[in-house]
Amino acid sequence: MNPDPADTSRLDQLAAVLASPVPRRPPAELLARVKNEAASLIGVGFGVFFAAFGSIFVALFFPWQLPFELRLKLPDVRTAEARIERVEATNFSINETRVRGYDFLFSTPDGAQIRGRCYTTGERWSEGAVATVRYVAGDPTVACLEGARLSQGGWIGLLVLLFPAVGLGVAGYSLLERRRAERMLIHGAVAELRVTAVESTKIQVNKRPLFRIALAPADAPGAEPRIERRSDPRAVRFALERLESSQPMFVLVDPKNPTRTLWIELY
Protein backbone atom coordinates (compact mmCIF):
# COMPACT_ATOMS: atom_id res chain seq x y z
CA MET A 1 0.00 0.00 0.00
CA ASN A 2 1.50 3.34 -1.09
CA PRO A 3 1.74 6.04 1.56
CA ASP A 4 -0.49 9.05 1.28
CA PRO A 5 1.51 11.83 -0.44
CA ALA A 6 -0.10 14.37 1.88
CA ASP A 7 1.09 12.46 4.96
CA THR A 8 4.55 12.08 3.47
CA SER A 9 4.73 15.80 2.76
CA ARG A 10 3.57 16.62 6.29
CA LEU A 11 6.15 14.30 7.86
CA ASP A 12 8.92 15.77 5.70
CA GLN A 13 7.81 19.24 6.74
CA LEU A 14 7.79 18.19 10.41
CA ALA A 15 11.25 16.66 10.16
CA ALA A 16 12.59 19.82 8.54
CA VAL A 17 11.09 22.00 11.28
CA LEU A 18 12.53 19.84 14.09
CA ALA A 19 15.96 19.77 12.45
CA SER A 20 16.14 23.51 11.79
CA PRO A 21 18.08 25.74 14.22
CA VAL A 22 16.40 28.22 16.55
CA PRO A 23 14.88 30.65 15.71
CA ARG A 24 13.03 28.56 13.17
CA ARG A 25 11.25 29.85 10.11
CA PRO A 26 8.30 27.47 9.86
CA PRO A 27 6.10 27.38 6.76
CA ALA A 28 3.24 29.86 6.92
CA GLU A 29 0.58 27.14 6.73
CA LEU A 30 2.15 25.25 9.66
CA LEU A 31 2.37 28.42 11.72
CA ALA A 32 -1.29 29.19 10.99
CA ARG A 33 -2.37 25.66 11.98
CA VAL A 34 -0.45 25.81 15.25
CA LYS A 35 -1.84 29.23 16.20
CA ASN A 36 -5.43 28.35 15.25
CA GLU A 37 -5.22 25.12 17.23
CA ALA A 38 -4.07 27.06 20.29
CA ALA A 39 -6.90 29.61 19.95
CA SER A 40 -8.90 30.45 16.88
CA LEU A 41 -9.40 33.96 15.60
CA ILE A 42 -13.12 33.32 16.10
CA GLY A 43 -12.49 33.38 19.84
CA VAL A 44 -10.60 36.65 19.51
CA GLY A 45 -13.42 38.15 17.44
CA PHE A 46 -16.06 36.95 19.89
CA GLY A 47 -14.18 38.54 22.78
CA VAL A 48 -13.86 41.85 20.97
CA PHE A 49 -17.55 41.78 20.01
CA PHE A 50 -18.62 40.96 23.57
CA ALA A 51 -16.48 43.80 24.91
CA ALA A 52 -17.92 46.25 22.38
CA PHE A 53 -21.47 45.10 23.16
CA GLY A 54 -20.81 45.42 26.89
CA SER A 55 -19.55 48.95 26.35
CA ILE A 56 -23.10 49.94 25.42
CA PHE A 57 -24.28 48.89 28.89
CA VAL A 58 -21.37 50.76 30.45
CA ALA A 59 -22.39 53.92 28.61
CA LEU A 60 -26.01 53.51 29.70
CA PHE A 61 -25.76 52.24 33.27
CA PHE A 62 -22.30 53.00 34.65
CA PRO A 63 -22.58 55.29 37.72
CA TRP A 64 -20.64 58.19 36.27
CA GLN A 65 -21.75 60.39 39.19
CA LEU A 66 -19.96 58.33 41.84
CA PRO A 67 -17.06 60.81 42.18
CA PHE A 68 -19.58 63.53 43.04
CA GLU A 69 -21.31 61.26 45.55
CA LEU A 70 -17.95 60.64 47.22
CA ARG A 71 -17.34 64.39 47.23
CA LEU A 72 -20.62 64.88 49.09
CA LYS A 73 -19.38 62.63 51.90
CA LEU A 74 -16.61 65.07 52.85
CA PRO A 75 -17.15 67.17 56.01
CA ASP A 76 -17.16 70.55 54.25
CA VAL A 77 -20.55 70.08 52.56
CA ARG A 78 -23.53 72.18 53.53
CA THR A 79 -27.21 71.36 53.95
CA ALA A 80 -30.39 73.20 53.02
CA GLU A 81 -34.09 72.58 52.57
CA ALA A 82 -35.13 71.49 49.07
CA ARG A 83 -38.55 71.21 47.49
CA ILE A 84 -39.37 68.20 45.33
CA GLU A 85 -40.60 69.55 42.02
CA ARG A 86 -41.10 66.30 40.14
CA VAL A 87 -41.14 62.57 40.81
CA GLU A 88 -40.97 60.01 37.99
CA ALA A 89 -40.47 56.29 37.59
CA THR A 90 -37.37 55.36 35.58
CA ASN A 91 -36.89 52.31 33.35
CA PHE A 92 -34.42 50.87 35.85
CA SER A 93 -35.29 48.39 38.62
CA ILE A 94 -33.30 46.84 41.45
CA ASN A 95 -34.61 43.59 42.96
CA GLU A 96 -37.87 44.16 41.07
CA THR A 97 -38.31 47.58 42.73
CA ARG A 98 -38.58 50.54 40.37
CA VAL A 99 -35.99 53.28 40.72
CA ARG A 100 -37.54 56.75 41.13
CA GLY A 101 -36.07 60.03 39.93
CA TYR A 102 -36.52 63.34 41.77
CA ASP A 103 -36.07 66.85 40.44
CA PHE A 104 -35.54 69.26 43.32
CA LEU A 105 -34.93 72.96 43.92
CA PHE A 106 -33.08 74.67 46.77
CA SER A 107 -31.54 78.06 47.57
CA THR A 108 -28.00 78.80 48.72
CA PRO A 109 -27.26 81.48 51.36
CA ASP A 110 -26.49 84.02 48.61
CA GLY A 111 -29.97 83.50 47.13
CA ALA A 112 -28.95 81.39 44.11
CA GLN A 113 -31.66 78.97 42.97
CA ILE A 114 -30.13 75.51 42.28
CA ARG A 115 -31.89 72.59 40.61
CA GLY A 116 -30.71 69.02 40.85
CA ARG A 117 -31.73 65.43 40.25
CA CYS A 118 -31.24 62.30 42.29
CA TYR A 119 -32.64 58.76 42.65
CA THR A 120 -33.90 56.19 45.15
CA THR A 121 -34.95 52.58 44.86
CA GLY A 122 -38.68 52.81 45.45
CA GLU A 123 -40.57 56.04 46.08
CA ARG A 124 -39.48 58.03 49.13
CA TRP A 125 -40.84 61.54 48.54
CA SER A 126 -43.81 62.93 46.68
CA GLU A 127 -44.07 66.07 44.58
CA GLY A 128 -44.13 69.20 46.72
CA ALA A 129 -42.48 67.52 49.70
CA VAL A 130 -39.60 69.18 51.53
CA ALA A 131 -36.34 67.27 52.10
CA THR A 132 -32.80 67.99 53.21
CA VAL A 133 -30.22 68.43 50.48
CA ARG A 134 -26.44 68.21 50.82
CA TYR A 135 -24.32 70.32 48.50
CA VAL A 136 -20.73 71.39 47.98
CA ALA A 137 -20.21 74.93 49.22
CA GLY A 138 -17.88 75.89 46.39
CA ASP A 139 -20.03 74.23 43.72
CA PRO A 140 -23.68 73.92 44.83
CA THR A 141 -24.60 72.20 41.55
CA VAL A 142 -23.06 69.12 43.14
CA ALA A 143 -26.02 68.32 45.35
CA CYS A 144 -28.09 65.33 46.42
CA LEU A 145 -31.03 64.75 48.74
CA GLU A 146 -30.10 62.98 51.94
CA GLY A 147 -30.99 59.30 51.59
CA ALA A 148 -30.81 59.42 47.79
CA ARG A 149 -28.04 58.95 45.20
CA LEU A 150 -26.92 60.73 42.05
CA SER A 151 -26.97 57.70 39.72
CA GLN A 152 -29.83 55.33 38.99
CA GLY A 153 -28.03 52.14 39.95
CA GLY A 154 -25.58 53.43 42.53
CA TRP A 155 -22.65 51.16 43.32
CA ILE A 156 -24.41 48.20 41.73
CA GLY A 157 -23.90 49.93 38.39
CA LEU A 158 -20.22 48.99 38.59
CA LEU A 159 -21.23 45.45 37.66
CA VAL A 160 -21.69 46.53 34.05
CA LEU A 161 -17.90 46.63 33.82
CA LEU A 162 -17.96 42.83 33.91
CA PHE A 163 -19.26 42.64 30.34
CA PRO A 164 -16.38 44.41 28.59
CA ALA A 165 -13.93 42.93 31.09
CA VAL A 166 -14.99 39.38 30.21
CA GLY A 167 -14.89 40.15 26.50
CA LEU A 168 -11.43 41.70 26.69
CA GLY A 169 -10.30 38.80 28.87
CA VAL A 170 -11.41 36.24 26.27
CA ALA A 171 -9.79 38.18 23.43
CA GLY A 172 -6.60 38.79 25.40
CA TYR A 173 -6.31 35.16 26.53
CA SER A 174 -6.85 33.91 22.98
CA LEU A 175 -4.16 36.24 21.62
CA LEU A 176 -1.82 35.18 24.43
CA GLU A 177 -2.33 31.48 23.64
CA ARG A 178 -1.67 32.12 19.96
CA ARG A 179 1.50 34.02 20.84
CA ARG A 180 2.68 31.22 23.14
CA ALA A 181 2.14 28.60 20.44
CA GLU A 182 4.05 30.73 17.94
CA ARG A 183 6.90 31.18 20.43
CA MET A 184 7.17 27.44 21.03
CA LEU A 185 7.17 26.69 17.32
CA ILE A 186 9.90 29.23 16.58
CA HIS A 187 12.03 29.08 19.76
CA GLY A 188 11.00 25.83 21.49
CA ALA A 189 13.58 23.20 22.38
CA VAL A 190 13.03 19.74 20.89
CA ALA A 191 12.38 16.99 23.45
CA GLU A 192 11.74 13.28 22.94
CA LEU A 193 9.23 11.89 25.44
CA ARG A 194 7.62 8.55 26.17
CA VAL A 195 3.97 8.25 27.21
CA THR A 196 3.90 6.17 30.39
CA ALA A 197 0.25 6.55 31.42
CA VAL A 198 -3.05 8.02 30.24
CA GLU A 199 -5.70 8.36 32.95
CA SER A 200 -9.17 9.83 32.79
CA THR A 201 -10.21 12.21 35.56
CA LYS A 202 -13.65 13.21 36.83
CA ILE A 203 -13.11 16.76 35.59
CA GLN A 204 -14.71 17.88 32.35
CA VAL A 205 -13.68 20.74 30.07
CA ASN A 206 -16.32 21.83 27.56
CA LYS A 207 -18.22 18.61 28.32
CA ARG A 208 -15.15 16.52 27.49
CA PRO A 209 -13.26 14.45 30.10
CA LEU A 210 -9.89 15.74 31.18
CA PHE A 211 -7.04 13.22 30.98
CA ARG A 212 -3.79 13.06 32.96
CA ILE A 213 -0.99 12.09 30.59
CA ALA A 214 2.37 11.08 32.08
CA LEU A 215 5.42 11.83 29.93
CA ALA A 216 8.99 10.76 30.68
CA PRO A 217 12.23 11.60 28.84
CA ALA A 218 12.93 8.91 26.26
CA ASP A 219 16.66 8.92 27.06
CA ALA A 220 16.18 8.63 30.84
CA PRO A 221 14.01 5.57 31.67
CA GLY A 222 14.19 6.11 35.43
CA ALA A 223 13.32 9.80 35.38
CA GLU A 224 10.20 11.08 37.14
CA PRO A 225 7.44 11.58 34.52
CA ARG A 226 5.85 14.96 34.03
CA ILE A 227 2.06 15.29 34.01
CA GLU A 228 0.13 17.11 31.31
CA ARG A 229 -3.64 17.50 31.27
CA ARG A 230 -5.47 17.34 27.98
CA SER A 231 -9.13 17.22 26.97
CA ASP A 232 -8.74 17.45 23.20
CA PRO A 233 -9.85 14.04 21.83
CA ARG A 234 -7.21 14.14 19.10
CA ALA A 235 -4.42 14.67 21.62
CA VAL A 236 -5.79 11.93 23.89
CA ARG A 237 -6.00 9.44 20.99
CA PHE A 238 -2.46 10.33 19.97
CA ALA A 239 -1.20 9.73 23.51
CA LEU A 240 -3.02 6.39 23.73
CA GLU A 241 -1.54 5.29 20.42
CA ARG A 242 1.98 6.13 21.58
CA LEU A 243 1.36 4.41 24.91
CA GLU A 244 0.26 1.20 23.16
CA SER A 245 3.07 1.25 20.62
CA SER A 246 5.75 2.46 23.08
CA GLN A 247 6.86 4.86 20.36
CA PRO A 248 8.28 8.11 21.71
CA MET A 249 6.87 11.48 20.69
CA PHE A 250 8.62 14.70 19.79
CA VAL A 251 7.50 17.94 21.42
CA LEU A 252 8.68 21.53 21.51
CA VAL A 253 9.24 22.95 25.00
CA ASP A 254 8.39 26.56 25.76
CA PRO A 255 11.70 28.32 26.55
CA LYS A 256 9.91 30.62 29.02
CA ASN A 257 8.02 27.83 30.79
CA PRO A 258 9.48 24.30 30.54
CA THR A 259 6.23 22.79 31.84
CA ARG A 260 4.41 23.93 28.68
CA THR A 261 4.86 21.90 25.50
CA LEU A 262 3.70 21.93 21.90
CA TRP A 263 2.84 18.50 20.53
CA ILE A 264 4.22 19.28 17.12
CA GLU A 265 3.45 15.83 15.71
CA LEU A 266 -0.26 16.63 15.87
CA TYR A 267 0.15 19.31 13.21
Side-chain angles (χ1 to χ4, degrees):
M1 183 176 180
N2 294 327
D4 188 338
D7 289 340
T8 301
S9 176
R10 189 185 70 82
L11 292 175
D12 291 341
Q13 184 184 73
L14 173 61
V17 169
L18 293 176
S20 60
V22 175
R24 304 179 184 88
R25 294 185 177 179
E29 62 273 16
L30 175 60
L31 179 59
R33 288 200 304 270
V34 167
K35 292 171 68 175
N36 286 329
E37 186 69 23
S40 72
L41 286 174
I42 295 177
V44 177
F46 173 79
V48 172
F49 171 80
F50 197 79
F53 185 74
S55 299
I56 299 175
F57 290 91
V58 173
L60 292 175
F61 301 113
F62 184 80
W64 302 103
Q65 300 293 324
L66 277 181
F68 298 113
E69 292 193 30
L70 293 174
R71 177 66 182 86
L72 287 168
K73 293 183 181 297
L74 296 180
D76 63 335
V77 298
R78 295 181 178 178
T79 61
E81 283 192 349
R83 183 170 56 85
I84 311 299
E85 294 189 313
R86 183 184 178 195
V87 179
E88 67 173 358
T90 68
N91 295 324
F92 194 73
S93 296
I94 298 177
N95 295 329
E96 300 183 356
T97 301
R98 184 75 66 181
V99 172
R100 305 282 175 168
Y102 305 89
D103 295 325
F104 58 88
L105 174 70
F106 70 98
S107 299
T108 60
D110 59 4
Q113 297 286 299
I114 306 296
R115 283 186 166 83
R117 184 173 177 84
C118 60
Y119 303 89
T120 63
T121 302
E123 186 169 348
R124 179 163 181 177
W125 299 283
S126 59
E127 292 185 7
V130 175
T132 300
V133 64
R134 292 170 60 86
Y135 67 94
V136 176
D139 184 5
T141 60
V142 180
C144 184
L145 299 177
E146 285 193 346
R149 57 183 181 267
L150 292 176
S151 54
Q152 292 191 38
W155 291 95
I156 197 173
L158 293 174
L159 294 176
V160 297
L161 292 176
L162 290 176
F163 294 100
V166 169
L168 292 175
V170 170
Y173 178 77
S174 298
L175 290 173
L176 179 62
E177 287 297 298
R178 290 173 64 87
R179 183 67 187 92
R180 284 173 175 170
E182 180 181 9
R183 182 176 67 235
M184 283 188 279
L185 181 59
I186 296 175
H187 299 282
V190 179
E192 188 177 4
L193 305 176
R194 293 181 298 105
V195 181
T196 61
V198 179
E199 302 174 353
S200 177
T201 69
K202 295 182 179 180
I203 301 173
Q204 288 198 342
V205 178
N206 294 330
K207 299 182 179 180
R208 298 184 301 198
L210 184 68
F211 286 81
R212 295 176 73 256
I213 301 173
L215 302 169
D219 56 355
E224 184 72 18
R226 60 191 295 172
I227 302 297
E228 293 199 19
R229 292 169 174 79
R230 303 269 177 160
S231 61
D232 177 20
R234 190 163 63 101
V236 174
R237 286 196 302 269
F238 177 77
L240 287 170
E241 291 171 0
R242 293 302 170 94
L243 178 64
E244 294 174 359
S245 65
S246 298
Q247 180 183 354
M249 59 187 287
F250 290 96
V251 302
L252 295 176
V253 181
D254 190 341
K256 291 188 176 182
N257 185 352
T259 64
R260 186 180 295 116
T261 60
L262 178 68
W263 291 17
I264 186 63
E265 290 188 68
L266 291 174
Y267 304 95

